[in-house]
Amino acid sequence: MNKTISNTSVTTSVSELTKVALIVALYVVVTAWFAVFSFGAIQLRMSEVFNYLALYHKRYVLAVTLGVVFANFMSPTWMLDVPIGGLATFLVLILCRAATKNISNQIVKMAVTAVIFALSMFTVAGQLSIMLDLPFFYTWLTVGLGELLSMTVGGFFVYMLSKKIDLSK
């Protein structure tokens, strides 16, 4: 049986893998760079800006999820944060893609995504409540507000970048 692989197929696969790997690495590096703000009851995880990429192409669902998994090994609650944070990120990215699928206005799409992610921070609050005995609702509020702030600030940059670069390719 003779199997041939076209150069176009190989180039596409390498290009896709490279884009995924780049976002995984960037997520981890940005989280590590701002580690003092990336974990705990009050968070401002600037790497969450990469969540918006999933709105442009489905490859970034995997990329951001893997970035979260690897970055969460730096968390003081890594035993829960790696599996729960990774799964929660994956599910929320899928939810955001579905919820914004029929929204054509990019700013509205990004705003909906930011709110969904901010509300989803109950998973982080739950982990911190279990592992560090922090109050659940207060922690959900502070982590959720930090998420909303980091995604709002980061969303501005992604929006401006999307005007210069086609992020869907």
Side-chain angles (χ1 to χ4, degrees):
M1 183 180 264
N2 185 10
K3 291 185 180 180
T4 60
I5 299 174
S6 72
N7 282 340
T8 305
S9 175
V10 171
T11 302
T12 301
S13 296
V14 170
S15 176
E16 291 294 307
L17 183 59
T18 302
K19 290 172 185 175
V20 168
L22 180 63
I23 297 306
V24 172
L26 284 171
Y27 190 99
V28 172
V29 167
V30 171
T31 302
W33 185 266
F34 295 104
V36 70
F37 304 112
S38 296
F39 304 101
I42 299 175
Q43 295 184 12
L44 192 61
R45 192 180 277 202
M46 294 311 297
S47 50
E48 289 292 280
V49 68
F50 296 109
N51 292 333
Y52 289 119
L53 295 179
L55 300 177
Y56 294 95
H57 198 286
K58 64 184 177 183
R59 84 169 70 85
Y60 297 120
V61 171
L62 173 64
V64 174
T65 300
L66 289 174
V68 168
V69 167
F70 292 136
N72 283 354
F73 275 105
M74 295 181 274
S75 170
T77 60
W78 68 270
M79 291 177 286
L80 287 179
D81 213 4
V82 170
I84 293 172
L87 180 61
T89 297
F90 177 76
L91 294 174
V92 174
L93 287 170
I94 296 294
L95 173 63
C96 288
R97 281 182 57 86
T100 63
K101 181 173 61 174
N102 296 319
I103 299 173
S104 58
N105 184 304
Q106 189 176 355
I107 294 172
V108 173
K109 204 175 221 184
M110 294 175 88
V112 168
T113 298
V115 169
I116 291 172
F117 263 96
L119 292 173
S120 78
M121 291 298 107
F122 70 88
T123 59
V124 176
Q127 294 170 57
L128 293 171
S129 180
I130 291 167
M131 298 288 287
L132 303 178
D133 200 31
L134 296 174
F136 174 79
F137 287 106
Y138 178 75
T139 305
W140 186 11
L141 175 68
T142 59
V143 174
L145 287 174
E147 180 76 1
L148 190 59
L149 179 60
S150 64
M151 289 200 63
T152 300
V153 170
F156 173 77
F157 292 108
V158 171
Y159 178 77
M160 298 308 286
L161 182 65
S162 74
K163 296 300 176 196
K164 302 286 183 195
I165 299 171
D166 185 355
L167 297 171
S168 66
K169 292 188 178 199

